[in-house]
Amino acid sequence: MNLLLTFLMDRRILRILLMANTIGTIYGYYWYKGQLEVTPWLFIPFVPDSPTASLFFVFVLLAFIKNKNCPISEAFAFVTLVKYGIWAVVMNILTLNVTGALPWQGYMLIASHGAMALQAVLYAPFYQLRVRHVLAAAVWTFHNDVIDYVFMQYPKYPGLELYVREIGYFTFWLSVFSVGMAYFAARRNRETIHIQ
């Protein structure tokens, strides 16, 4: 276990992850380009879910590289990476199940979003979360669910339009799960490994 933790905090690994997350964030915002062009300006900050999640993690990695912590970024990154990482994997598998086909980009999204959720969990021992940080991330996350499924600004997956209510219900409980994981991490903060 100690070997894994040492590996994760190796500056070379952190820089590789920083580069990967930065590229993924830029590509993610580009992926939302079409939807953002028709999105009312008021909702724009809440539409590109996954790239915003990876952007939060970029801030976390930058802090780690400087031997620091940024607990508010850690909370937002942890909650949103777990939530949208799992969400995108499930939506792409559901798309394959409903339509019978998935383009290569769909498989790429499964792999990349699965990695998003995994990195959030792997780096959890290094976070210095407090409950107040998790509460702030929870407000953002549940507010985002309202924007997505009350104001219908959710990410568009062709073929899944008929299941919007079920997807919204699943997304709500996924938010609960993600916030719960972050809360658990914050409560265990006394056992957290602090960056030297």
Side-chain angles (χ1 to χ4, degrees), residues 4 17 23 34 44 46 56 66 70 118-119 133 138 142 156 158-159 182 188:
L4 173 61
L17 284 175
I23 292 170
I44 286 177
F46 307 101
F56 291 140
K66 296 178 181 178
C70 183
L118 180 62
Q119 70 182 358
H133 304 129
F142 288 114
K156 305 301 189 284
R188 293 187 61 205

Side-chain angles (χ1 to χ4, degrees), residues 39-56:
T39 298
W41 68 268
L42 186 63
F43 298 135
I44 286 177
F46 307 101
V47 168
D49 300 321
S50 295
T52 301
S54 59
L55 180 62
F56 291 140

Side-chain angles (χ1 to χ4, degrees), residues 15 20 23 30 50 97 115 119 135 149 161 177 183 194:
R15 289 190 178 97
I23 292 170
Y30 176 77
S50 295
N97 185 58
Q119 70 182 358
L135 289 176
Y149 297 101
E161 297 86 355
F177 171 75
Y183 177 77
H194 299 289

Side-chain angles (χ1 to χ4, degrees), residues 2 20 22 56 83 89-90 99 102 114 125 131 139 142 152 176 192:
N2 288 336
T22 300
F56 291 140
K83 175 185 174 181
V89 170
V90 171
T99 67
L102 192 65
V131 172
V139 170
F142 288 114
M152 306 309 284
V176 172
T192 298

Side-chain angles (χ1 to χ4, degrees), residues 143-180:
H143 179 259
N144 206 336
D145 288 345
V146 172
I147 299 299
D148 282 354
Y149 297 101
V150 174
F151 293 94
M152 306 309 284
Q153 301 298 317
Y154 59 90
K156 305 301 189 284
Y157 274 77
L160 300 184
E161 297 86 355
L162 296 176
Y163 304 97
V164 171
R165 288 184 298 180
E166 291 84 355
I167 291 171
Y169 183 73
F170 165 73
T171 302
F172 167 77
W173 283 109
L174 188 54
S175 294
V176 172
F177 171 75
S178 302
V179 169

Side-chain angles (χ1 to χ4, degrees), residues 100-126:
L102 192 65
W104 69 267
Q105 293 95 333
Y107 293 102
M108 181 268 293
L109 289 172
I110 289 174
S112 62
H113 284 73
M116 282 171 52
L118 180 62
Q119 70 182 358
V121 174
L122 285 175
Y123 278 90
F126 301 99

